[in-house]
Amino acid sequence: MKLGRATIKDIAKALNLSASTISRALKDYPGISDETKRKVKEVAEEMNYRPNAIALSLRKSRSFTIGVIIPEVVHFFFSSVVSGIEEVAHSRGYNVILVQSNEKLDREISSIETMLSNQIDGVLVSFSKETKTFNHFTKVLDQGFPIVFFDRAPEIPGAINVTVDDYQGAFDATTHLISQGYKNIIHLGGPKLLKISTERERGYKDALTHNGLDFKSEYVIPCPIGTVEESQQIVAELFSNMTVRPDAFFACNDVGAVGAMMACREIGLKIPVDVGVVGFSDWQFCSMLEPKLSSVAQPGALMGAKATEILIDIIEKKIDPESMENSLILKTKLMARDSSKRF
Amino acid sequence: MKLGRATIKDIAKALNLSASTISRALKDYPGISDETKRKVKEVAEEMNYRPNAIALSLRKSRSFTIGVIIPEVVHFFFSSVVSGIEEVAHSRGYNVILVQSNEKLDREISSIETMLSNQIDGVLVSFSKETKTFNHFTKVLDQGFPIVFFDRAPEIPGAINVTVDDYQGAFDATTHLISQGYKNIIHLGGPKLLKISTERERGYKDALTHNGLDFKSEYVIPCPIGTVEESQQIVAELFSNMTVRPDAFFACNDVGAVGAMMACREIGLKIPVDVGVVGFSDWQFCSMLEPKLSSVAQPGALMGAKATEILIDIIEKKIDPESMENSLILKTKLMARDSSKRF
DNA sequence: TTGTACGCGTTATCAC
DNA sequence: GTGATAACGCGTACAA
């Protein structure tokens, strides 16, 4: 009874019954006298018995636990996703085990290993910036282990991916800028390796040509690090060097957009009068800035929720991974605020 | 071999050896021929054997997993803490299982129950705003189950708490405002139930009297909801009603501070010239605002890391919870930025 | 209505 | 050097 870890056996001894009777009584099996059930439950309560989930896992080869591998938690988008994941998992009776890769490939690899060792029922993954090959995923995937990817999803045949429509989001944002009369729109890009970056760039490009504007490759400027300082500096240099003056920025993420806003303010350009700015992700702080930053909202919590539902459905064999649509693309929503509205 | 879940027994059969030999060979026990070891490891690799952590947990009554119960993940401070927790846990060979209470008491209660059921080795807790009684903690604590509280910590005798020095942080912030010449300083308070709120208010009060200013209870204004809109509205009303014009705000959190900034801007007051503002927590966006918001930085990741170290030390009996200091108080750091600097 | 025996995967212990 | 057995906590087919 130490540590309140009373087992079925302990109850059995206390009542002079067999372990199986206790087990059955606790689960209201038919064929156990009400009297016994009552007694058993009473004693169980007294000894504060708690079923041992580990023993159950071992028996059923199921842990009712799902794993989550993300680059980092301290990130508005990812924490939103985790929130959605946790919510759905909890409501369906699953625990969530969380690992950050810290954008490192080796931690990503070792994480799935531990997860498998721990008899995790399935995992949700958004891979690291370092990840270029996917053997560590396909290997376990081929063994029938359920994995659902979200946001940063690999192009593996048969992999199930939940993403947002980055292309459309970027297209909308750029179109919006054009509709507000901006003509020289710079795109501050993200890490080239990630599909989300290339998709956003593609949306930007198509929106331009679709609206009769020229796409100029020198208008796409990568911000590999992803800090405010970086984009602020890049934009500042831009204004001092470029022959044609940019009048708008569509950034791959909100942090980049903030940098652009700061750089503009520094050289005395007014937003949105002189320069328009739109970000991507719609982090909380967008509406706290002055002027309020326009941004493309990604449904983070919804993404987490959807991905989790799919994963658990696969685990519980409610759907067959072979026969399903292998990608779910969620809609983004342009939040047009003061930073890009001239009219 | 289905699902790559080869067991020791499978290897034993394949090699015509006993399970115990395999177990020993895999762990390089003395008294096993090198030849056997080689073969065993080879076959294990081939069958891609992975030790079953669940079986191990059952045997050892240890899961090498710690639980984390927090109000919500989508929160800069808490996600920082989680990051620190995950980091330390990982480096010491522990998994992290995450649950959000969503500020609900009942979810908090059921969470510890599942954790105990899952043979979690110990938990880290920051309780919900709803939590007024602590029986659900003391009950398991008394059974010798390791719990370490962080940030929102209860006043239970013997409970181990890791917090930041809210009092000193508030004292510093208020003193800073005074030193900049502000005289009518309003405190935008947080939820009364939380000790962090009362401590911050106490720090504010003491800083005033310590500097020869009067503390007026009507200058402490609660913001129970905690949204930008709420504090914005409260501050706006303040300016229209109060006889004495406030010239500074020390908010219990950054969101409240932003609301104050917005309200001031709306009625044409310049920050920091007319009004000074300081927040608490130093969220990422503070330095993205215009003017940059001064705030009291709390070491979130460090707090998570420290709490985890203590918890694991207790679990591994490296320290005795009875004989240790039962509270660790981390220092805050005032980040004085443009929103409060007149000189 | 209740008890017995077995297995989930692993390892410590004793035996040969 | 290696094997057999028991035990961790639980559920269940089979017996009584």
Side-chain angles (χ1 to χ4, degrees), chain B residues 60 130 136 140 156 165 194 211 215 233-234 256 282 289 299 318 330 340:
Chain B
K60 308 221 166 143
E130 261 186 36
H136 53 303
V140 294
I156 301 175
D165 198 337
L194 299 181
N211 285 282
F215 167 76
Q233 195 194 327
I234 286 177
D282 194 31
L289 299 173
K318 290 190 180 159
L330 303 174
S340 62

Side-chain angles (χ1 to χ4, degrees), chain B residues 116-251:
Chain B
L116 290 197
S117 262
N118 279 73
Q119 308 301 110
I120 298 301
D121 294 339
V123 302
L124 295 165
V125 177
S126 195
F127 55 75
S128 86
K129 284 181 188 163
E130 261 186 36
T131 308
K132 300 183 184 88
T133 58
F134 302 102
N135 324 4
H136 53 303
F137 294 130
T138 49
K139 206 176 66 184
V140 294
L141 221 37
D142 289 345
Q143 288 167 183
F145 186 78
I147 302 183
V148 172
F149 297 91
F150 62 89
D151 193 48
R152 301 188 190 166
E155 315 217 35
I156 301 175
I160 296 174
N161 299 337
V162 179
T163 53
V164 297
D165 198 337
D166 290 292
Y167 171 81
Q168 190 64 45
F171 189 95
D172 292 347
T174 311
T175 303
H176 162 69
L177 281 169
I178 297 170
S179 79
Q180 296 293 312
Y182 298 105
K183 295 203 160 40
N184 296 306
I185 306 169
I186 299 285
H187 175 50
L188 300 172
K192 283 278 179 196
L193 268 180
L194 299 181
K195 198 184 167 198
I196 54 173
S197 306
T198 57
E199 283 294 283
R200 289 175 197 175
E201 182 178 328
R202 202 166 62 83
Y204 156 80
K205 181 178 175 178
D206 282 9
L208 289 181
T209 52
H210 188 264
N211 285 282
L213 294 178
D214 280 350
F215 167 76
K216 298 176 192 144
S217 60
E218 68 269 28
Y219 273 26
V220 175
I221 301 173
C223 299
I225 313 177
T227 60
V228 174
E229 292 71 26
E230 180 193 38
S231 69
Q232 181 171 5
Q233 195 194 327
I234 286 177
V235 171
E237 278 175 21
L238 212 65
F239 278 112
S240 58
N241 295 338
M242 265 202 173
T243 46
V244 180
R245 222 186 165 87
D247 63 359
F249 293 88
F250 165 53

Side-chain angles (χ1 to χ4, degrees), chain A residues 26-181:
Chain A
L26 286 173
K27 328 191 81 191
D28 273 328
Y29 255 57
I32 297 284
S33 74
D34 288 355
E35 174 61 8
T36 309
K37 282 185 190 170
R38 205 188 45 70
K39 267 197 217 155
V40 169
K41 285 178 185 169
E42 197 182 297
V43 176
E45 175 72 12
E46 261 173 35
M47 305 176 84
N48 67 68
Y49 165 79
R50 251 182 285 272
N52 185 328
I54 293 284
L56 261 166
S57 296
L58 185 58
R59 223 181 160 305
K60 308 215 168 150
S61 313
R62 286 282 314 281
S63 60
F64 286 96
T65 301
I66 60 174
V68 176
I69 303 178
I70 51 171
E72 48 171 352
V73 213
V74 198
H75 194 289
F76 178 68
F77 177 69
F78 285 123
S79 65
S80 308
V81 179
V82 170
S83 183
I85 292 173
E86 207 277 330
E87 210 47 50
V88 171
H90 179 265
S91 77
R92 296 190 59 172
Y94 284 74
N95 295 313
V96 174
I97 215 161
L98 179 79
V99 180
Q100 325 186 53
S101 64
N102 285 326
E103 305 284 7
K104 298 286 174 220
L105 174 60
D106 59 336
R107 277 205 59 177
E108 196 170 281
I109 295 177
S110 71
S111 295
I112 346 174
E113 285 303 316
T114 19
M115 300 240 168
L116 290 198
S117 260
N118 279 72
Q119 308 301 109
I120 297 303
D121 295 339
V123 302
L124 295 165
V125 177
S126 195
F127 55 76
S128 85
K129 284 182 188 163
E130 261 186 37
T131 308
K132 301 183 182 89
T133 58
F134 302 101
N135 324 3
H136 53 303
F137 294 130
T138 49
K139 207 176 65 184
V140 294
L141 221 37
D142 290 345
Q143 288 167 181
F145 186 78
I147 302 182
V148 172
F149 297 92
F150 63 89
D151 193 49
R152 301 189 190 166
E155 315 217 34
I156 301 174
I160 296 173
N161 300 336
V162 179
T163 52
V164 297
D165 198 336
D166 290 292
Y167 171 81
Q168 189 65 44
F171 188 95
D172 293 347
T174 311
T175 303
H176 162 68
L177 281 170
I178 296 170
S179 80
Q180 295 293 314

